[in-house]
Structures are given as structure tokens and as C-alpha cells.
Amino acid sequence: MIVRDVTRVTVLANVVVVVVGLIVLTLLPRWNSGGDGARTAVAARPSEPAPATASAEAPPGDKEPVTATPESAKKVKANEAGLVPVIMYHRLLPKRIASIDRTPGQFRKELERLARKNYVPITAAEFVSGEIDIPAGSHPVVLTFDDGHSSHFALDSDGAPKRDTAVGIIYEVAAKYPEFRPVATFWVNRTPFGLNDRAEQTRAVKWLVERGFEVANHTYDHPDLRSLPTKRVSEQIVRQERLLAKLGTGPSTTLALPYGSRPRKLSVAHDGKWDGTRYDFDGVFLAGAEPAVSPFAKKFERYAIPRIQSNGKHGECSRWCTTYWLDWLDDHPKKRYTSDGDPKSVSIPRKLRDTVASKRAGKIVVY
């Protein structure tokens, strides 16, 4: 088990993110260039990626269903009560400006590490709902991007994701590692992907959603919600929900709190209304600082899900960020969520039986 106090480290890490984020947004202009860098070829990158299927390795009709048994679960050392890295990204810049920025090269390297270690991406919505349909023996990872920056997604003249954008790199890595499912979650504000034209916003959102990506609510203006009265918090959420509806995506099932800052009335972050419009999220995500517990675990807190900032091991990141935590999970494989390959069951070692919430798990396989 993780011996640190989860609440204490999460709160402290969120404070760090709030301070850094406020400074960045105050002092820096929003980077609105295409972010595609040098126009060199990407090996095996499809010119127009097809809409994503439920599995990276085969269309739904061709995938042979897996029925987990104690024997099959033991063989792959399944632990679906284990920890899941939910990784937080912001801008991808050729040269980092803020500490939370990453370069395309750093992002590519991290994804390739995840792919080599048998991680398979799922969306935040899939994680919260427990719809984790990945191959036996693999591990879920949730790739999340805040603010809808132009470096996250843009299309080139051929209608393909631009090189060195987040989506372009995700597809590049998926082409190199076929089981690395090309999906992610983008939590956006009032100008998704740096686009001001409504038709372009709609095209971008439609392109992503049709290919299995999640585009969801990060509030309209990205305020620190703790500084706002309850009514203003609801207004910020509802205005963004209305925008997303106009762009063609359904009601958001997840919300990422700007700066990871929780409103003074905690419940308003996941359930409320403003100007006649209601919202009700299945999951609310913070800004730090540890892997999330399984959605099937009794300790799962759906309205305070921690994320891990993508970064190295320098300074405050020595115990907060992805390099540290991915190393830790490699060194503690029994703590990590490992799939049994059967999305209809939850497989766990016998000693973990009491850690699983039976109502959430459905069919439980114990070995």
C-alpha cells in the first residue's frame, strides 16, 4: 500500500499547480500557432486515421471475447483493484516556458515508455464508468490534456493530425505499437484547441469524438473555482456545457477542475444547475499528485480523482510527477492495475477481496 497520506500530498500538489498555473496564465499569452514544427514525415502515420474501435488490435466483430477464470487471471497476475496512472498534460512546446509544459520529444518518449511497458490508453469517462476493455496482462493509463491548447490538436492540409501535436504523436506511437490504443481525454475551455471560429471548433470536436477521444468540460473561463461564489461556479460549468452541446458532443460525464482547485461547496463541482440547465458529472479530476485507485475499489473517490503531472524528477517533481510514479509502478507491479482481459469481470488476488466494492464490480474472479 502507499504509505503517504493521500489527502495531504494531493492537497499540497494541487496548491503547487494552482500557483504555477495562475502565474503562467497571468504572464503569458496563449500560444496559438499550429505547433507542428518541422514538416518531416512520420513513420507509418495514417494520412486520415479511421474512427477508433473499442480495441486497438481488432474491430469489435473480430475480437474474440475473453471469459476470465481463476486460472486465466492467475496466469496474467490480474489485479483489477490496483492503481491506475491518470496523467495530466498541458502545452506541448518546442521549447518549454512553464514548468508544466512538455516538448513534443518528451511527450513522445513518455508515450513510447508506456507502450513498451504494456499500458493501454482509455478515456477518463471509461475509467470512471469502469468500462476498461483492454487485453489480458495489460495496464490502463488515462492520458488527459487541460485547456484545449492548439498544440493538442490541429489538422494539416491533408486532413491528418499535424506532426508534434498531441494527437499526431499519439497516432505515431500507436502505429509503432499496435496495442497502444489511440485515445485520450481533452478538457477544454471556451476556445477549444485555440480555435475562435465556431465551424472550426465543431469540425475539431467532431473529428476527435468520432475516433474515440473524449472532449469534456474544463469550465468556460478557467477560473479558480474556490475564489467564486457557488452560483458563479455553476455558471462557469453550465456555459461550457452549452458550448460543448453546440459543438456536437453530448453532456460531459467528467470535469477537470482548473488548477485542481475545489469550490468551497464541494458538491457543486459535480452536481448543480444554472439558468435552467442542470449538470451531473460521473467523475471530477484534480491536478495531483498520485496514481488513482481502481474504480472498483472501496476507496475510489469519484469526485476527487488524482492525476500525475507529466514531468521529470527534478525539484518538487522528485515525488510528484510521472517519471517518479512510472518508476514506482515498475518496481511495485503487484500494486498496479493489471487486466484480466474480460470487461465483464473484476479479477483480483484473494488477499484483496475485501478491498473491492461488490456493487461496482459485478462478477468477481478471485484466485
Side-chain angles (χ1 to χ4, degrees):
M1 298 296 292
I2 298 175
V3 297
R4 284 180 305 282
D5 183 317
V6 174
T7 301
R8 180 177 59 82
V9 297
T10 300
V11 170
L12 181 57
N14 282 331
V15 169
V16 172
V17 172
V18 170
V19 173
V20 172
L22 286 171
I23 293 172
V24 170
L25 288 183
T26 301
L27 300 180
L28 297 177
R30 192 172 180 87
W31 187 67
N32 286 318
S33 68
D36 54 336
R39 297 296 296 165
T40 55
V42 179
R45 181 169 70 96
S47 58
E48 174 61 24
T53 63
S55 173
E57 69 272 10
D62 297 338
K63 181 180 178 182
E64 294 186 6
V66 173
T67 301
T69 65
E71 294 74 23
S72 68
K74 183 177 181 180
K75 182 177 180 180
V76 298
K77 300 179 181 179
N79 176 13
E80 297 185 322
L83 299 170
V84 178
V86 181
I87 303 179
M88 177 180 67
Y89 299 97
H90 288 83
R91 301 179 302 185
L92 299 184
L93 302 180
K95 184 176 181 180
R96 296 171 66 192
I97 300 174
S99 62
I100 57 177
D101 296 333
R102 301 299 274 160
T103 69
Q106 289 170 332
F107 179 57
R108 183 179 290 108
K109 183 178 179 180
E110 185 159 270
L111 291 195
E112 290 184 344
R113 173 182 180 170
L114 291 166
R116 288 194 304 270
K117 294 295 185 177
N118 211 18
Y119 285 93
V120 178
I122 62 174
T123 66
E126 290 168 336
F127 171 70
V128 169
S129 67
E131 296 177 5
I132 304 177
D133 187 2
I134 61 177
S138 63
H139 321 291
V141 61
V142 188
L143 309 176
T144 71
F145 298 82
D146 288 10
D147 309 337
H149 192 258
S150 57
S151 63
H152 297 164
F153 176 65
L155 296 175
D156 62 20
S157 58
D158 295 323
K162 285 187 176 182
R163 176 176 169 79
D164 285 349
T165 60
V167 175
I169 294 171
I170 288 171
Y171 272 108
E172 177 186 337
V173 174
K176 187 175 180 180
Y177 300 91
E179 289 195 350
F180 193 78
R181 182 175 173 235
V183 298
T185 292
F186 295 96
W187 282 304
V188 300
N189 306 117
R190 64 192 298 178
T191 54
F193 312 110
L195 301 170
N196 293 304
D197 181 76
R198 182 60 53 81
E200 291 182 355
Q201 293 174 351
T202 302
R203 180 191 180 205
V205 170
K206 182 173 185 275
W207 194 102
L208 291 166
V209 171
E210 286 181 347
R211 287 158 180 81
F213 293 88
E214 178 185 8
V215 181
N217 199 315
H218 195 41
T219 73
Y220 193 71
D221 292 311
H222 201 281
D224 178 353
L225 296 183
R226 189 160 187 81
S227 69
L228 299 182
T230 297
K231 185 176 181 180
R232 289 286 309 282
V233 173
S234 295
E235 177 185 357
Q236 279 290 318
I237 293 171
V238 167
R239 292 182 71 187
Q240 186 63 15
E241 279 298 285
R242 289 177 176 176
L243 172 60
L244 290 170
K246 291 176 182 178
L247 300 182
T249 184
S252 302
T253 57
T254 65
L255 169 78
L257 298 171
Y259 315 112
S261 182
R262 304 173 75 179
R264 283 169 287 184
K265 182 181 178 181
L266 297 179
S267 64
V268 75
H270 58 81
D271 185 10
K273 66 179 180 179
W274 176 77
D275 192 32
T277 300
R278 291 201 61 86
Y279 59 90
D280 183 8
F281 300 115
D282 294 333
V284 176
F285 290 74
L286 307 175
E290 296 188 331
V293 300
S294 166
F296 307 119
K298 290 179 179 178
K299 292 184 178 181
F300 179 62
E301 295 185 45
R302 65 174 56 251
Y303 301 130
I305 301 172
R307 293 188 287 164
I308 310 168
Q309 180 192 140
S310 175
N311 221 317
K313 294 174 74 172
H314 303 292
E316 292 172 345
C317 270
S318 61
R319 298 292 290 270
W320 305 111
C321 301
T322 48
T323 302
Y324 170 81
W325 277 113
L326 293 178
D327 286 347
W328 190 93
L329 290 169
D330 285 347
D331 293 338
H332 300 80
K334 293 182 180 180
K335 304 293 186 182
R336 179 170 48 192
Y337 187 117
T338 299
S339 173
D340 64 4
D342 182 355
K344 296 182 180 180
S345 68
V346 174
S347 293
I348 48 174
R350 186 170 301 278
K351 65 180 181 180
L352 298 180
R353 177 61 185 87
D354 291 340
T355 69
V356 173
S358 298
K359 291 183 179 179
R360 282 278 292 161
K363 175 188 173 184
I364 299 178
V365 176
V366 178
Y367 66 93

